[in-house]
Amino acid sequence: MSSSRKIRVLVAKPGLDGHDRGAKVVARALRDAGMEVIYTGLRQTPEMIVRAAVDESVDVIGLSILSGAHMALFPRIMELLREEGADDIIVIGGGIIPEDDVPELKKAGIAEVFGPGTPLNEIVDFIKEHVKV
C-alpha cells in the first residue's frame, strides 16, 4: 500500500546572505516535482530554521548558503535537530561550498551537498530516494 502523502521540504537561507535566487529555483523545482515546499526567506538563524522544520513536520531541510558560514551554521542546525529529537529530518546543503568542506559537513550529518550547476533533477531524485512517505 503506497502513501499519497507528499514529501515536505523546508528550504532555508541561514545566515546573512542576501541572495536567494538559487534557493527559489530549487524550491520551485521541488514543488514542480510534487513536493510540498516551505521557503523561510532570507537571514534565518539555525534556531528559526529548526523551529520551522519541527513545527511544519518536514521530511527534508534544504539549506542554501553563499556567505561562507556553512561550517558554523550547518553543524549548529544538526546539533539543534538532535536536541529537538528531530534528527530523522534529512538535511541537504547547497550554494558556494568548497569541496574540501563537504566531508566535514557530511560527518556533521548533512546528507548531501549540491554545488552550483547541479541539475535540478539530481536534487529531486536524491530526496525521493532518501525520503520514504
Side-chain angles (χ1 to χ4, degrees), residues 17-32:
D17 277 341
H19 302 281
D20 62 353
R21 176 182 272 182
K24 288 178 177 174
V25 168
V26 170
R28 184 179 188 108
L30 299 178
R31 189 191 68 200
D32 290 349

mmCIF file with all atom_site columns, all heavy atoms in Angstrom, residues 17-32:
data_model
loop_
_atom_site.group_PDB
_atom_site.id
_atom_site.type_symbol
_atom_site.label_atom_id
_atom_site.label_alt_id
_atom_site.label_comp_id
_atom_site.label_asym_id
_atom_site.label_entity_id
_atom_site.label_seq_id
_atom_site.pdbx_PDB_ins_code
_atom_site.Cartn_x
_atom_site.Cartn_y
_atom_site.Cartn_z
_atom_site.occupancy
_atom_site.B_iso_or_equiv
_atom_site.pdbx_formal_charge
_atom_site.auth_seq_id
_atom_site.auth_comp_id
_atom_site.auth_asym_id
_atom_site.auth_atom_id
_atom_site.pdbx_PDB_model_num
ATOM 1   N N   . ASP A 1 17 ? 23.246 35.918 4.168   1.00 0.00 ? 17 ASP A N   1
ATOM 2   C CA  . ASP A 1 17 ? 23.166 36.030 2.708   1.00 0.00 ? 17 ASP A CA  1
ATOM 3   C C   . ASP A 1 17 ? 22.009 36.922 2.299   1.00 0.00 ? 17 ASP A C   1
ATOM 4   O O   . ASP A 1 17 ? 20.937 36.861 2.878   1.00 0.00 ? 17 ASP A O   1
ATOM 5   C CB  . ASP A 1 17 ? 22.867 34.666 2.073   1.00 0.00 ? 17 ASP A CB  1
ATOM 6   C CG  . ASP A 1 17 ? 24.095 33.817 1.888   1.00 0.00 ? 17 ASP A CG  1
ATOM 7   O OD1 . ASP A 1 17 ? 25.189 34.365 1.899   1.00 0.00 ? 17 ASP A OD1 1
ATOM 8   O OD2 . ASP A 1 17 ? 23.918 32.609 1.717   1.00 0.00 ? 17 ASP A OD2 1
ATOM 9   N N   . GLY A 1 18 ? 22.221 37.699 1.254   1.00 0.00 ? 18 GLY A N   1
ATOM 10  C CA  . GLY A 1 18 ? 21.141 38.498 0.713   1.00 0.00 ? 18 GLY A CA  1
ATOM 11  C C   . GLY A 1 18 ? 20.673 38.014 -0.641  1.00 0.00 ? 18 GLY A C   1
ATOM 12  O O   . GLY A 1 18 ? 19.875 38.672 -1.286  1.00 0.00 ? 18 GLY A O   1
ATOM 13  N N   . HIS A 1 19 ? 21.168 36.849 -1.066  1.00 0.00 ? 19 HIS A N   1
ATOM 14  C CA  . HIS A 1 19 ? 20.822 36.334 -2.390  1.00 0.00 ? 19 HIS A CA  1
ATOM 15  C C   . HIS A 1 19 ? 20.078 35.010 -2.246  1.00 0.00 ? 19 HIS A C   1
ATOM 16  O O   . HIS A 1 19 ? 20.561 34.104 -1.598  1.00 0.00 ? 19 HIS A O   1
ATOM 17  C CB  . HIS A 1 19 ? 22.080 36.119 -3.214  1.00 0.00 ? 19 HIS A CB  1
ATOM 18  C CG  . HIS A 1 19 ? 22.887 37.364 -3.366  1.00 0.00 ? 19 HIS A CG  1
ATOM 19  N ND1 . HIS A 1 19 ? 22.558 38.340 -4.265  1.00 0.00 ? 19 HIS A ND1 1
ATOM 20  C CD2 . HIS A 1 19 ? 23.989 37.794 -2.707  1.00 0.00 ? 19 HIS A CD2 1
ATOM 21  C CE1 . HIS A 1 19 ? 23.439 39.327 -4.167  1.00 0.00 ? 19 HIS A CE1 1
ATOM 22  N NE2 . HIS A 1 19 ? 24.305 39.030 -3.227  1.00 0.00 ? 19 HIS A NE2 1
ATOM 23  N N   . ASP A 1 20 ? 18.930 34.929 -2.860  1.00 0.00 ? 20 ASP A N   1
ATOM 24  C CA  . ASP A 1 20 ? 18.160 33.689 -2.714  1.00 0.00 ? 20 ASP A CA  1
ATOM 25  C C   . ASP A 1 20 ? 17.620 33.146 -4.036  1.00 0.00 ? 20 ASP A C   1
ATOM 26  O O   . ASP A 1 20 ? 16.738 32.308 -4.036  1.00 0.00 ? 20 ASP A O   1
ATOM 27  C CB  . ASP A 1 20 ? 17.025 33.867 -1.711  1.00 0.00 ? 20 ASP A CB  1
ATOM 28  C CG  . ASP A 1 20 ? 16.009 34.920 -2.119  1.00 0.00 ? 20 ASP A CG  1
ATOM 29  O OD1 . ASP A 1 20 ? 16.229 35.631 -3.112  1.00 0.00 ? 20 ASP A OD1 1
ATOM 30  O OD2 . ASP A 1 20 ? 14.981 35.023 -1.417  1.00 0.00 ? 20 ASP A OD2 1
ATOM 31  N N   . ARG A 1 21 ? 18.176 33.606 -5.139  1.00 0.00 ? 21 ARG A N   1
ATOM 32  C CA  . ARG A 1 21 ? 17.681 33.114 -6.428  1.00 0.00 ? 21 ARG A CA  1
ATOM 33  C C   . ARG A 1 21 ? 17.809 31.593 -6.523  1.00 0.00 ? 21 ARG A C   1
ATOM 34  O O   . ARG A 1 21 ? 16.884 30.913 -6.928  1.00 0.00 ? 21 ARG A O   1
ATOM 35  C CB  . ARG A 1 21 ? 18.424 33.777 -7.578  1.00 0.00 ? 21 ARG A CB  1
ATOM 36  C CG  . ARG A 1 21 ? 17.992 33.211 -8.931  1.00 0.00 ? 21 ARG A CG  1
ATOM 37  C CD  . ARG A 1 21 ? 18.740 33.822 -10.048 1.00 0.00 ? 21 ARG A CD  1
ATOM 38  N NE  . ARG A 1 21 ? 18.020 35.020 -10.449 1.00 0.00 ? 21 ARG A NE  1
ATOM 39  C CZ  . ARG A 1 21 ? 18.393 35.791 -11.452 1.00 0.00 ? 21 ARG A CZ  1
ATOM 40  N NH1 . ARG A 1 21 ? 19.482 35.507 -12.111 1.00 0.00 ? 21 ARG A NH1 1
ATOM 41  N NH2 . ARG A 1 21 ? 17.690 36.843 -11.779 1.00 0.00 ? 21 ARG A NH2 1
ATOM 42  N N   . GLY A 1 22 ? 18.975 31.061 -6.169  1.00 0.00 ? 22 GLY A N   1
ATOM 43  C CA  . GLY A 1 22 ? 19.186 29.612 -6.258  1.00 0.00 ? 22 GLY A CA  1
ATOM 44  C C   . GLY A 1 22 ? 18.214 28.846 -5.380  1.00 0.00 ? 22 GLY A C   1
ATOM 45  O O   . GLY A 1 22 ? 17.657 27.828 -5.804  1.00 0.00 ? 22 GLY A O   1
ATOM 46  N N   . ALA A 1 23 ? 17.995 29.341 -4.170  1.00 0.00 ? 23 ALA A N   1
ATOM 47  C CA  . ALA A 1 23 ? 17.057 28.666 -3.263  1.00 0.00 ? 23 ALA A CA  1
ATOM 48  C C   . ALA A 1 23 ? 15.654 28.661 -3.848  1.00 0.00 ? 23 ALA A C   1
ATOM 49  O O   . ALA A 1 23 ? 14.930 27.660 -3.757  1.00 0.00 ? 23 ALA A O   1
ATOM 50  C CB  . ALA A 1 23 ? 17.063 29.356 -1.897  1.00 0.00 ? 23 ALA A CB  1
ATOM 51  N N   . LYS A 1 24 ? 15.271 29.764 -4.469  1.00 0.00 ? 24 LYS A N   1
ATOM 52  C CA  . LYS A 1 24 ? 13.932 29.841 -5.070  1.00 0.00 ? 24 LYS A CA  1
ATOM 53  C C   . LYS A 1 24 ? 13.816 28.929 -6.285  1.00 0.00 ? 24 LYS A C   1
ATOM 54  O O   . LYS A 1 24 ? 12.766 28.312 -6.494  1.00 0.00 ? 24 LYS A O   1
ATOM 55  C CB  . LYS A 1 24 ? 13.612 31.282 -5.440  1.00 0.00 ? 24 LYS A CB  1
ATOM 56  C CG  . LYS A 1 24 ? 13.352 32.156 -4.234  1.00 0.00 ? 24 LYS A CG  1
ATOM 57  C CD  . LYS A 1 24 ? 13.082 33.590 -4.634  1.00 0.00 ? 24 LYS A CD  1
ATOM 58  C CE  . LYS A 1 24 ? 12.747 34.453 -3.431  1.00 0.00 ? 24 LYS A CE  1
ATOM 59  N NZ  . LYS A 1 24 ? 12.616 35.876 -3.806  1.00 0.00 ? 24 LYS A NZ  1
ATOM 60  N N   . VAL A 1 25 ? 14.875 28.814 -7.063  1.00 0.00 ? 25 VAL A N   1
ATOM 61  C CA  . VAL A 1 25 ? 14.856 27.909 -8.223  1.00 0.00 ? 25 VAL A CA  1
ATOM 62  C C   . VAL A 1 25 ? 14.705 26.461 -7.744  1.00 0.00 ? 25 VAL A C   1
ATOM 63  O O   . VAL A 1 25 ? 13.907 25.695 -8.290  1.00 0.00 ? 25 VAL A O   1
ATOM 64  C CB  . VAL A 1 25 ? 16.134 28.093 -9.078  1.00 0.00 ? 25 VAL A CB  1
ATOM 65  C CG1 . VAL A 1 25 ? 16.263 26.979 -10.111 1.00 0.00 ? 25 VAL A CG1 1
ATOM 66  C CG2 . VAL A 1 25 ? 16.120 29.461 -9.748  1.00 0.00 ? 25 VAL A CG2 1
ATOM 67  N N   . VAL A 1 26 ? 15.455 26.097 -6.724  1.00 0.00 ? 26 VAL A N   1
ATOM 68  C CA  . VAL A 1 26 ? 15.354 24.735 -6.187  1.00 0.00 ? 26 VAL A CA  1
ATOM 69  C C   . VAL A 1 26 ? 13.967 24.512 -5.587  1.00 0.00 ? 26 VAL A C   1
ATOM 70  O O   . VAL A 1 26 ? 13.346 23.461 -5.814  1.00 0.00 ? 26 VAL A O   1
ATOM 71  C CB  . VAL A 1 26 ? 16.459 24.467 -5.146  1.00 0.00 ? 26 VAL A CB  1
ATOM 72  C CG1 . VAL A 1 26 ? 16.210 23.156 -4.413  1.00 0.00 ? 26 VAL A CG1 1
ATOM 73  C CG2 . VAL A 1 26 ? 17.830 24.451 -5.821  1.00 0.00 ? 26 VAL A CG2 1
ATOM 74  N N   . ALA A 1 27 ? 13.463 25.483 -4.845  1.00 0.00 ? 27 ALA A N   1
ATOM 75  C CA  . ALA A 1 27 ? 12.133 25.336 -4.235  1.00 0.00 ? 27 ALA A CA  1
ATOM 76  C C   . ALA A 1 27 ? 11.076 25.095 -5.315  1.00 0.00 ? 27 ALA A C   1
ATOM 77  O O   . ALA A 1 27 ? 10.201 24.237 -5.165  1.00 0.00 ? 27 ALA A O   1
ATOM 78  C CB  . ALA A 1 27 ? 11.789 26.586 -3.422  1.00 0.00 ? 27 ALA A CB  1
ATOM 79  N N   . ARG A 1 28 ? 11.160 25.825 -6.395  1.00 0.00 ? 28 ARG A N   1
ATOM 80  C CA  . ARG A 1 28 ? 10.180 25.655 -7.474  1.00 0.00 ? 28 ARG A CA  1
ATOM 81  C C   . ARG A 1 28 ? 10.313 24.272 -8.125  1.00 0.00 ? 28 ARG A C   1
ATOM 82  O O   . ARG A 1 28 ? 9.321  23.620 -8.419  1.00 0.00 ? 28 ARG A O   1
ATOM 83  C CB  . ARG A 1 28 ? 10.347 26.752 -8.521  1.00 0.00 ? 28 ARG A CB  1
ATOM 84  C CG  . ARG A 1 28 ? 9.300  26.673 -9.595  1.00 0.00 ? 28 ARG A CG  1
ATOM 85  C CD  . ARG A 1 28 ? 9.458  27.787 -10.609 1.00 0.00 ? 28 ARG A CD  1
ATOM 86  N NE  . ARG A 1 28 ? 8.321  27.752 -11.488 1.00 0.00 ? 28 ARG A NE  1
ATOM 87  C CZ  . ARG A 1 28 ? 7.353  28.651 -11.480 1.00 0.00 ? 28 ARG A CZ  1
ATOM 88  N NH1 . ARG A 1 28 ? 7.395  29.653 -10.668 1.00 0.00 ? 28 ARG A NH1 1
ATOM 89  N NH2 . ARG A 1 28 ? 6.345  28.549 -12.309 1.00 0.00 ? 28 ARG A NH2 1
ATOM 90  N N   . ALA A 1 29 ? 11.548 23.831 -8.319  1.00 0.00 ? 29 ALA A N   1
ATOM 91  C CA  . ALA A 1 29 ? 11.758 22.505 -8.921  1.00 0.00 ? 29 ALA A CA  1
ATOM 92  C C   . ALA A 1 29 ? 11.184 21.408 -8.031  1.00 0.00 ? 29 ALA A C   1
ATOM 93  O O   . ALA A 1 29 ? 10.567 20.453 -8.532  1.00 0.00 ? 29 ALA A O   1
ATOM 94  C CB  . ALA A 1 29 ? 13.250 22.267 -9.166  1.00 0.00 ? 29 ALA A CB  1
ATOM 95  N N   . LEU A 1 30 ? 11.370 21.547 -6.725  1.00 0.00 ? 30 LEU A N   1
ATOM 96  C CA  . LEU A 1 30 ? 10.843 20.539 -5.798  1.00 0.00 ? 30 LEU A CA  1
ATOM 97  C C   . LEU A 1 30 ? 9.312  20.566 -5.815  1.00 0.00 ? 30 LEU A C   1
ATOM 98  O O   . LEU A 1 30 ? 8.662  19.514 -5.810  1.00 0.00 ? 30 LEU A O   1
ATOM 99  C CB  . LEU A 1 30 ? 11.371 20.784 -4.388  1.00 0.00 ? 30 LEU A CB  1
ATOM 100 C CG  . LEU A 1 30 ? 12.899 20.710 -4.215  1.00 0.00 ? 30 LEU A CG  1
ATOM 101 C CD1 . LEU A 1 30 ? 13.290 21.020 -2.780  1.00 0.00 ? 30 LEU A CD1 1
ATOM 102 C CD2 . LEU A 1 30 ? 13.438 19.367 -4.662  1.00 0.00 ? 30 LEU A CD2 1
ATOM 103 N N   . ARG A 1 31 ? 8.748  21.760 -5.836  1.00 0.00 ? 31 ARG A N   1
ATOM 104 C CA  . ARG A 1 31 ? 7.288  21.884 -5.922  1.00 0.00 ? 31 ARG A CA  1
ATOM 105 C C   . ARG A 1 31 ? 6.775  21.286 -7.229  1.00 0.00 ? 31 ARG A C   1
ATOM 106 O O   . ARG A 1 31 ? 5.806  20.539 -7.239  1.00 0.00 ? 31 ARG A O   1
ATOM 107 C CB  . ARG A 1 31 ? 6.883  23.342 -5.819  1.00 0.00 ? 31 ARG A CB  1
ATOM 108 C CG  . ARG A 1 31 ? 5.354  23.512 -5.687  1.00 0.00 ? 31 ARG A CG  1
ATOM 109 C CD  . ARG A 1 31 ? 4.912  24.917 -5.849  1.00 0.00 ? 31 ARG A CD  1
ATOM 110 N NE  . ARG A 1 31 ? 5.145  25.290 -7.250  1.00 0.00 ? 31 ARG A NE  1
ATOM 111 C CZ  . ARG A 1 31 ? 5.232  26.523 -7.684  1.00 0.00 ? 31 ARG A CZ  1
ATOM 112 N NH1 . ARG A 1 31 ? 5.116  27.530 -6.854  1.00 0.00 ? 31 ARG A NH1 1
ATOM 113 N NH2 . ARG A 1 31 ? 5.437  26.781 -8.952  1.00 0.00 ? 31 ARG A NH2 1
ATOM 114 N N   . ASP A 1 32 ? 7.447  21.583 -8.326  1.00 0.00 ? 32 ASP A N   1
ATOM 115 C CA  . ASP A 1 32 ? 7.038  21.039 -9.624  1.00 0.00 ? 32 ASP A CA  1
ATOM 116 C C   . ASP A 1 32 ? 7.155  19.517 -9.650  1.00 0.00 ? 32 ASP A C   1
ATOM 117 O O   . ASP A 1 32 ? 6.467  18.859 -10.438 1.00 0.00 ? 32 ASP A O   1
ATOM 118 C CB  . ASP A 1 32 ? 7.869  21.644 -10.752 1.00 0.00 ? 32 ASP A CB  1
ATOM 119 C CG  . ASP A 1 32 ? 7.553  23.108 -10.995 1.00 0.00 ? 32 ASP A CG  1
ATOM 120 O OD1 . ASP A 1 32 ? 6.547  23.625 -10.431 1.00 0.00 ? 32 ASP A OD1 1
ATOM 121 O OD2 . ASP A 1 32 ? 8.323  23.761 -11.744 1.00 0.00 ? 32 ASP A OD2 1
#
